[in-house]
Amino acid sequence: AVPAAPSILRRSRPRRAGKRVRFAQVTVYYFARRQGFTCVPSAGGSSLGMAPRHHRARRYSLSQFAHLRQVSHRQHLRQHLRREKLRARRRELTQNGTVPSAEAAGLTLADVSDDDLDVGQVEVGDYFYLQPLPTKRRRALLRASGVRRIDAEERQELRALRLSREQCGCLCRLTCEPRTCACSQAGIQCQ
């Protein structure tokens, strides 16, 4: 019998034992918060961004970084649950927003204790993802980070961008009419 010729489709490479990439450290760069101008929030103005250069860097071992992330995520979860509990209490006191209540208006996040939160019932990994922030919170974050003047024109620019993204393509049917085609006038292929 004649031995089979080796396949050119599947060339087996000899395995190199012990040649793997291993990470031992994580470097975290910290940036100051700035008004963004590079992202488009789903509603409102005042996009969040960061300074062009970091102001601090820290190195962590993998286990330290994992622990740090878990603590940070748990704090974010606690704050989120605290805000939800405050909203629920205010709704109860105002009978679902139908009756004004001075007591409801006076409630703050400090009135919601850790004992009122069911943090243990929520898996942090299941919860944690980037949450959209309302405009008021974004503006408060910018001010807390030292941004003195928030550009008010950004609101109109972001609104115009959101509106333009709703309109995609052109109005051509079957054949492209370059004189009236928005795509052709923008220098792109007819959509």
Side-chain angles (χ1 to χ4, degrees):
V2 177
S7 171
I8 61 169
L9 297 177
R10 223 183 304 147
R11 290 193 177 152
S12 61
R13 293 183 182 168
R15 289 188 132 185
R16 296 181 206 164
K19 295 276 184 169
R20 295 191 177 118
V21 176
R22 297 186 199 287
F23 296 96
Q25 292 183 338
V26 175
T27 305
V28 179
Y29 295 93
Y30 295 89
F31 292 81
R33 197 178 296 277
R34 298 283 183 260
Q35 193 168 359
F37 304 104
T38 56
C39 64
V40 180
S42 56
S46 307
S47 59
L48 296 176
M50 59 187 187
R53 295 197 173 273
H54 64 277
H55 60 82
R56 192 174 97 205
R58 296 249 349 239
R59 289 181 187 252
Y60 300 98
S61 69
L62 292 178
S63 61
Q64 287 172 325
F65 183 70
H67 177 70
L68 184 72
R69 262 180 80 136
Q70 186 177 29
V71 167
S72 172
H73 289 180
R74 196 161 292 284
Q75 285 174 340
H76 284 290
L77 174 62
R78 217 176 249 113
Q79 282 299 96
H80 174 73
L81 292 175
R82 187 170 272 123
R83 283 190 298 273
E84 290 298 314
K85 187 63 114 176
L86 177 63
R87 279 190 208 110
R89 282 189 185 166
R90 284 180 177 164
R91 273 193 308 271
E92 287 173 11
L93 290 171
T94 60
Q95 296 177 3
N96 288 328
T98 58
V99 179
S101 166
E103 186 181 356
L107 286 176
T108 64
L109 287 174
D111 295 322
V112 181
S113 72
D114 281 343
D115 297 336
D116 296 334
L117 306 176
D118 293 331
V119 178
Q121 300 296 329
V122 180
E123 181 61 38
V124 176
D126 293 341
Y127 160 78
F128 198 81
Y129 55 92
L130 288 176
Q131 302 283 326
L133 295 175
T135 303
K136 278 185 176 180
R137 293 249 350 261
R138 289 195 304 267
R139 292 176 78 87
L141 281 171
L142 287 169
R143 287 201 175 97
S145 298
V147 175
R148 298 282 177 244
R149 188 179 144 300
I150 296 174
D151 187 353
E153 289 182 22
E154 187 186 26
R155 168 184 271 152
Q156 283 79 29
E157 292 171 9
L158 292 173
R159 186 172 175 269
L161 272 170
R162 283 191 292 269
L163 285 173
S164 74
R165 289 180 177 179
E166 289 177 9
Q167 301 168 358
C168 182
C170 59
L171 301 176
C172 295
R173 301 284 179 237
L174 299 175
T175 60
C176 178
E177 297 292 331
R179 280 183 262 125
T180 59
C181 177
C183 297
S184 180
Q185 291 172 357
I188 60 173
Q189 188 175 2
C190 183
Q191 301 296 314

